[in-house]
Amino acid sequence: WSCLVLLPGDLSSGELLITPNGVIHPEGFSAVASGGNLVVYPYGDGPHTLDLWAVTRQGSGWSAPVLLTAASPFDHHTQPAISADGSRVVFNCDPDLLDGQEGTAVCEVGTDGTGFRTVIGPEDGPGGTATNALRHPDYAPDGGIVFEADWYGEQIWRIPSGGGAAIRITDAFNNDNSPCVLPDGRIVSLWLDRAGGNGDHEIKVMAADGSAYLMALTGLDVFDIGLACGN
């Protein structure tokens, strides 16, 4: 039964997260805030089939888990990403157990469990309907939100930091998914349609505005549940 362990970037050691409730058994992708003192993870045992929970470091241990998604009207909450200041988390929110399928929206909540909101739903894009899906959101350095949407096939979109309509990063890449944003604003994603490729999920790094890109990994099909995002 997998337990949640915190590791440094070089994977040289591991710390088992032990809370007053015992060890944590996450049910999917978790997220670590910059500094390593806050972890958000998906788990059952809440009002929904799958909720997000947060723990913070307290002395040599960790706090009791705090439920973040109690106010959500959705049933399934996955793939969290934490804002640079550690105050908010953005994530997939799905009406049923088919994570990332029809009807999946992008939601946000404070890491103290307050201020839940639906950032954007599948019907809010160009020509969007409830049968579309939004996935794998992450924060840009300026506080904007970057995510994958299938409005024109899988492509990467951005909501500006001040809010407003979603903007497509570029139309140059189709079948482009699972974005993560680097600290300098560049976007890492899994791209299937590289000319000369074999239809693999290859790791691509593009400029924040999509104007330039490089392939960081080719010839290897990366499992497309998603990429681990972090600073």
Side-chain angles (χ1 to χ4, degrees):
W1 194 8
S2 299
C3 297
L4 192 59
V5 175
L6 187 65
L7 301 129
D10 62 5
L11 309 182
S12 58
S13 61
E15 175 191 359
L16 180 64
L17 273 67
I18 301 178
T19 77
N21 297 2
V23 298
I24 296 170
H25 302 284
E27 298 179 20
F29 270 62
S30 303
V32 183
S34 179
N37 294 324
L38 166 69
V39 178
V40 175
Y41 61 94
Y43 187 61
D45 201 30
H48 307 98
T49 299
L50 196 61
D51 280 292
L52 291 183
W53 302 77
V55 291
T56 54
R57 189 182 298 279
Q58 292 189 343
S60 60
W62 292 82
S63 69
V66 174
L67 175 63
L68 302 185
T69 48
S72 172
F74 297 89
D75 189 55
H76 205 217
H77 310 85
T78 59
Q79 293 189 313
I82 301 173
S83 63
D85 64 2
S87 67
R88 296 168 293 145
V89 57
V90 67
F91 50 94
N92 289 2
C93 40
D94 195 300
D96 56 39
L97 288 174
L98 297 174
D99 177 41
Q101 303 303 311
E102 291 184 0
T104 302
V106 171
C107 296
E108 184 181 52
V109 70
T111 49
D112 60 358
T114 63
F116 176 91
R117 71 184 182 109
T118 301
V119 176
I120 186 170
E123 69 281 0
D124 297 327
T129 72
T131 63
N132 289 115
L134 316 179
R135 309 176 186 92
H136 214 290
D138 193 15
Y139 289 103
D142 64 358
I145 295 174
V146 173
F147 61 97
E148 166 201 339
D150 63 0
W151 292 314
Y152 295 125
E154 292 179 346
Q155 294 180 331
I156 310 302
W157 296 71
R158 180 197 306 273
I159 296 175
S161 58
I167 301 166
R168 184 166 46 175
I169 301 295
T170 176
D171 62 2
F173 309 108
N174 198 27
N175 283 337
D176 199 12
N177 62 78
S178 306
C180 290
V181 186
L182 300 179
D184 64 3
R186 290 180 297 163
I187 299 169
V188 183
S189 62
L190 297 176
W191 185 31
L192 284 77
D193 278 358
R194 179 177 64 88
N198 296 317
D200 295 331
H201 294 87
E202 298 177 323
I203 297 179
K204 172 176 65 64
V205 183
M206 68 177 173
D209 61 0
S211 59
Y213 76 98
L214 62 86
M215 299 304 301
L217 181 66
T218 60
L220 182 66
D221 193 26
V222 178
F223 194 36
D224 69 334
I225 286 180
L227 293 171
C229 301
N231 292 326

